[in-house]
Amino acid sequence: MIARTIFIALIIFSSAACVTQKKYDELLAEKVRLDAEKMSLEDEVEMKMNAIESLEAQLAEEQEKLEQTRKAYQASQSSLDSLQQQYETLNDYYDKLMSSSGKLNKDLVNKEKQLLQMEADLEISKQRNDELAANLAEREERVAELEKVLADKEAAVNALKQKVSEALLNFKENDLTVEVKNGKVYVSLAEQLLFNSGSTVVDEKGVEALKKLAQVLKDNQDVNIVVEGHTDDVPISGNNKYLKDNWDLSVLRATSIVRILTNNGASPERVTAAGKGEFSPKATNENAEGRRENRRTEIILTPKLDELFQILEGN
């Protein structure tokens, strides 16, 4: 456009000298018109350039938005794919559940029945456990009571043994022994302390020992007394209508001792006379020493166990 204007101007100046005034005016008017058109076109070009720049800016903005939209779409598509996969998995699981729902319902009913039965059994077990706990507490109380009674009886037996031992302290150890066995006090009196061979009469030395023992028994009224006569296996000699054998001898010796005890304070209601002959030996009858040990009288002292028996009956 600028080159065209310059070209026209050159023509006008080069031919000015040879053109008429009219022609000149026409050319000048054409120049003015062309200048005006040029300015208009330049303004239009500037407007178009501004418009182009605006469009380019809009294009860049839209391209950026397009990229963001593309990324968002890709993320959304990935999420959609994941959701689709989850849906398919859940749908398969649902189909399987639906296909097995009948069996599951049956199993659920059975489990509910088992649960109800277990609850009933648990309640019964709790009741039994409560009963056992109460019973256990009661038995523990009885055991404690029984243990106390036994301890008291053991203490009483030991105290009785001590008293008997002190009362018979002056007699030879070979003539008598005092010991505790099975919760009882055993006073074993040798034959030489009480009787002559084959006799049922207690000699003076034996009477003295029995009187001392009777005094102890008199002071201990809660003691039961058993007098047991024992012999060796040598048959008795002589012809005595009251003594047919060693059994008779052991019994009559026991009753002789019982009379001395009861005449000196022991309560007859608490005394028992018994004889075992040669049938409960302490030692062998094959030699003189063994036979001497077997010829004895045992006085067995037992504390009354009424309280203990009441506890046992209660159990």
Side-chain angles (χ1 to χ4, degrees):
M1 183 64 67
I2 296 174
R4 179 183 174 186
T5 302
I6 294 171
F7 177 74
I8 292 174
L10 290 176
I11 294 175
I12 291 173
F13 283 116
S14 61
S15 59
C18 58
V19 294
T20 64
Q21 185 65 38
K22 181 181 179 180
K23 189 65 174 179
Y24 174 78
D25 291 338
E26 290 177 356
L27 291 173
L28 182 60
E30 179 67 14
K31 174 182 177 301
V32 171
R33 186 186 64 81
L34 291 174
D35 287 341
E37 183 179 356
K38 170 179 172 293
M39 293 180 64
S40 176
L41 290 173
E42 288 178 350
D43 290 341
E44 184 178 357
V45 167
E46 185 176 359
M47 291 177 61
K48 296 296 183 180
M49 290 299 293
N50 291 335
I52 290 172
E53 290 178 358
S54 177
L55 288 175
E56 288 177 347
Q58 292 180 14
L59 175 62
E61 183 179 355
E62 291 299 326
Q63 286 177 342
E64 182 178 358
K65 290 181 179 180
L66 176 62
E67 184 64 23
Q68 293 177 353
T69 303
R70 182 180 293 108
K71 290 180 180 179
Y73 168 77
Q74 291 175 350
S76 177
Q77 183 65 40
S78 177
S79 177
L80 177 62
D81 293 342
S82 177
L83 289 175
Q84 181 67 30
Q85 184 177 1
Q86 293 179 26
Y87 168 79
E88 292 175 356
T89 301
L90 289 174
N91 192 54
D92 291 342
Y93 183 69
Y94 173 78
D95 292 340
K96 292 178 181 179
L97 284 178
M98 291 300 295
S99 63
S100 61
S101 61
K103 182 178 182 302
L104 289 174
N105 289 334
K106 184 177 180 180
D107 291 343
L108 179 60
V109 171
N110 291 334
K111 293 297 183 183
E112 289 177 346
K113 290 181 179 179
Q114 292 177 9
L115 180 60
L116 292 175
Q117 184 62 45
M118 290 177 66
E119 290 177 349
D121 293 342
L122 178 60
E123 185 62 28
I124 294 174
S125 297
K126 287 181 178 178
Q127 293 177 358
R128 290 178 179 173
N129 187 64
D130 292 341
E131 292 174 358
L132 288 174
N135 190 25
L136 177 61
E138 182 180 355
R139 288 185 178 275
E140 287 177 344
E141 182 179 356
R142 290 179 179 175
V143 168
E145 185 180 1
L146 182 60
E147 289 176 345
K148 182 179 182 303
V149 171
L150 289 175
D152 292 343
K153 295 303 178 184
E154 184 178 357
V157 168
N158 291 329
L160 179 61
K161 174 182 178 294
Q162 183 66 25
K163 291 178 181 179
V164 171
S165 298
E166 291 174 355
L168 303 176
L169 187 61
N170 294 329
F171 295 91
K172 295 180 181 180
E173 184 177 349
N174 291 336
D175 291 338
L176 63 86
T177 58
V178 182
E179 60 182 336
V180 175
K181 293 188 298 183
N182 302 322
K184 303 175 183 179
V185 177
Y186 282 75
V187 182
S188 182
L189 305 170
E191 181 189 51
Q192 66 266 19
L193 176 63
L194 300 175
F195 305 101
N196 293 321
S197 179
S199 173
T200 61
V201 178
V202 181
D203 62 22
E204 293 182 1
K205 188 177 180 182
V207 171
E208 180 185 354
L210 294 173
K211 285 181 178 180
K212 291 180 179 294
L213 179 59
Q215 188 59 45
V216 174
L217 299 176
K218 180 181 178 181
D219 296 336
N220 292 270
Q221 295 295 322
D222 59 345
V223 176
N224 292 320
I225 306 161
V226 176
V227 180
E228 284 184 354
H230 298 268
T231 69
D232 57 23
D233 64 350
V234 178
I236 61 174
S237 60
N239 185 12
N240 188 328
K241 64 179 180 179
Y242 299 108
L243 296 176
K244 294 181 180 180
D245 52 26
N246 284 325
W247 218 328
D248 283 343
L249 178 61
S250 66
V251 171
L252 291 176
R253 284 182 171 180
T255 55
S256 296
I257 293 172
V258 165
R259 289 189 182 95
I260 295 173
L261 293 176
T262 56
N263 289 337
N264 289 274
S267 175
E269 293 81 4
R270 297 185 290 120
V271 182
T272 300
K276 291 194 174 182
E278 71 267 25
F279 301 107
S280 183
K282 287 182 63 176
T284 179
N285 283 304
E286 299 299 324
N287 54 61
E289 181 62 26
R291 290 191 294 272
R292 185 187 65 78
E293 289 187 38
N294 291 333
R295 295 192 298 270
R296 70 197 188 280
T297 299
E298 290 186 343
I299 301 176
I300 305 169
L301 309 177
T302 307
K304 288 185 177 180
L305 301 178
D306 297 344
E307 185 179 0
L308 177 61
F309 291 148
Q310 288 176 0
I311 295 175
L312 293 176
E313 289 173 0
N315 290 333

